[in-house]
Amino acid sequence: MAKTVVDMNEQFMRAAIAAAQKAADMGEVPVGAVVVKNGQIIAVGFNRRESAKNALSHAETEAINNACTALGSWRLEGCDLYVTLEPCPMCAGAILNARISNVYFGAYDAKNGCCGSVCDLFSLPFTHKANAVGGFLADECGALLSEFFKNLRQKG
């Protein structure tokens, strides 16, 4: 039986959740991302700011960098990004600059989210437009973050 678009979206978001769990296992804030083209995952990224000691090592930028390497181009037209947390300003800018078509994110970020929470960079008159769908498997994505920060507070 053929998979529906909803089934594929869930499959891709679950891959992003698995990447977020890998980040958590490394002691990183659990955010994961995958880039998809033609129904196939071509790149994965997860937060590595602490281990890389680099402010630019967000899940989205890691996934975008890996996708550019995989495709041999900075232009990711026709690609979709699935990420467990609403992109921040830097990541939303990277998404626009990479020409990603669609962004599916899980948990909303009331403090830093730039796909509608704090602002919507995708609605501004930039050269490229990306579509964003938020709240996708939000409870699971949010639970990863909540559990991570709860554990961090308990450690002291």
Side-chain angles (χ1 to χ4, degrees):
M1 181 164 76
K3 287 189 174 188
T4 66
V5 171
V6 172
D7 291 336
M8 291 180 71
N9 283 344
E10 183 172 339
Q11 171 191 342
F12 299 140
M13 186 57 86
R14 292 211 178 278
I17 290 170
Q21 185 59 59
K22 185 172 182 179
D25 293 346
M26 295 172 55
E28 300 277 355
V29 174
V31 179
V34 298
V35 177
V36 174
K37 184 164 183 144
N38 298 326
Q40 299 293 319
I41 295 173
I42 61 165
V44 177
F46 52 87
N47 258 2
R48 295 185 332 105
R49 289 188 304 171
E50 298 299 329
S51 57
K53 301 195 181 340
N54 187 331
L56 303 177
S57 294
H58 287 207
E60 300 95 324
T61 56
E62 295 282 312
I64 289 168
N65 185 57
N66 293 337
C68 290
T69 299
L71 295 178
S73 176
W74 64 268
R75 290 179 177 90
L76 301 180
E77 290 134 336
C79 291
D80 297 330
L81 178 76
Y82 293 78
V83 60
T84 58
L85 181 64
E86 181 180 2
C88 72
M90 175 183 71
C91 293
I95 289 162
L96 291 172
N97 280 299
R99 311 289 196 260
I100 290 174
S101 300
N102 300 294
V103 177
Y104 301 93
F105 66 88
Y108 283 87
D109 185 347
K111 295 180 180 177
N112 297 298
C114 286
C115 296
S117 289
V118 174
C119 69
D120 184 358
L121 285 182
F122 296 166
S123 70
L124 298 176
F126 293 112
T127 305
H128 176 71
K129 293 284 185 197
N131 300 309
V133 178
F136 198 67
L137 298 181
D139 291 342
E140 290 180 53
C141 295
L144 272 174
L145 290 159
S146 294
E147 185 68 21
F148 176 82
F149 287 112
K150 177 183 166 191
N151 291 339
L152 200 60
R153 284 189 299 275
Q154 288 175 348
K155 289 179 184 175

